[in-house]
Amino acid sequence: MQHPLAQTRLTALRDSRTDSASFRAALHELATMLTYEAASTFEAAHRDVQTPVATARGTSLANPPLIVPVLRAGLGMADAALALLPESSMGFVGLARDEHTFQPRAYLESLPESLEGLPVLVLEPMVATGGSLEHCCRLLVDRGCTDITVLCALIVPEAISRLEKANLPMRIVTASIDDGLTETMFITPGLGDAGDRQFGGMPRF
C-alpha cells in the first residue's frame, strides 16, 4: 500500500525516536488504512433504505470476517480493524518464538471450533521469517478456514517466498516489503520489535 498517508505512519513506526504512545497511535492509524484497503474485496450485500427524502440502495458486508490479532504485537491493530468492521467478532492466537531455533510455538488458541465459510482477518505488524504467520494460518485452516487476509506493516521477501510455498488460502496487505533479515532474524531496515515498542521491553537487535 503506497498511499502517502500510510507511508507517513510507517515512517513514524520506523523512527527510533518515536515513543511508545506515538508508536501505538501510528500503528492504529496504519491498521485503519490497511483494513480499508483489504475490505475493498470483501463481499457486499445490498438492501433498500429509506432516507428522509426517498429510497436509496444501501450496502453492508455479506459475511464480516473474524478478526484475529496475533499476540502480543497484533493487539495494536485490533481496535482499528474492529472500528471499521463493527459487525465482526474477534479471536486470538498467541505465538512465541524460540530465540535459539526461531521456531514458533502456540500458547493460546482462542478461536471458534469451526471456521468453515467464515473469512478471517489476521493482524500481525511484522512478518520476518514467516514461520509464525504460517503456523497461525495453519491453525485457521485446520478449523476449516479457506479465506485468510493478513494485514501487516511490513514483510520481507524471505517470508513471502515461504508463504507462497506453504500453499495456504491467504493474501497479504502490507505497507512495505523490506530488504531482508539480520543474522538474528530481525527485519532490516524494519522498525525494531513491534511488541516491545508498543508495550515496553528490552531491545534485542
Side-chain angles (χ1 to χ4, degrees):
M1 186 178 183
Q2 291 297 318
H3 195 289
L5 293 183
Q7 293 302 310
T8 60
R9 272 57 175 192
L10 179 59
T11 299
L13 295 177
R14 291 194 191 278
D15 193 335
S16 62
R17 299 169 297 179
T18 301
D19 61 28
S20 292
S22 299
F23 189 97
R24 290 192 296 269
L27 182 59
H28 181 279
E29 292 169 357
L30 179 58
T32 298
M33 298 177 203
L34 292 171
T35 302
Y36 179 87
E37 178 72 14
S40 65
T41 63
F42 291 176
E43 183 182 357
H46 302 284
R47 62 185 176 87
D48 288 341
V49 295
Q50 187 66 40
T51 79
V53 178
T55 300
R57 193 179 191 219
T59 301
S60 61
L61 291 184
N63 192 12
L66 175 73
I67 299 171
V68 179
V70 179
L71 305 181
R72 68 179 167 152
L75 286 175
M77 305 173 75
D79 284 350
L82 195 59
L84 285 188
L85 301 167
E87 312 92 337
S88 293
S89 55
M90 190 172 291
F92 299 91
V93 171
L95 297 174
R97 185 178 73 164
D98 187 298
E99 296 300 329
H100 299 290
T101 66
F102 306 118
Q103 297 302 308
R105 59 177 178 83
Y107 62 86
L108 176 67
E109 297 177 39
S110 180
L111 298 166
E113 184 174 339
S114 174
L115 295 173
E116 290 186 11
L118 182 63
V120 176
L121 191 65
V122 175
L123 311 178
E124 175 69 296
M126 304 170 63
V127 184
T129 66
S132 294
L133 181 58
E134 179 183 352
H135 188 82
C136 173
C137 291
R138 290 200 184 281
L139 294 176
L140 302 174
V141 170
D142 287 346
R143 294 171 185 255
C145 184
T146 59
D147 183 0
I148 302 169
T149 301
V150 177
L151 304 188
C152 59
L154 45 86
I155 191 171
V156 295
E158 294 94 324
I160 294 173
S161 178
R162 175 175 182 155
L163 294 168
E164 286 176 341
K165 292 174 183 176
N167 197 31
L168 293 163
M170 64 185 295
R171 67 187 182 111
I172 298 172
V173 179
T174 186
S176 177
I177 300 175
D178 273 20
D179 296 341
L181 300 171
T182 67
E183 291 182 359
T184 53
M185 299 299 164
F186 277 93
I187 295 175
T188 182
L191 48 81
D193 184 291
D196 288 348
R197 294 197 63 192
Q198 288 179 81
F199 307 118
M202 296 298 293
R204 296 167 283 121
F205 314 127

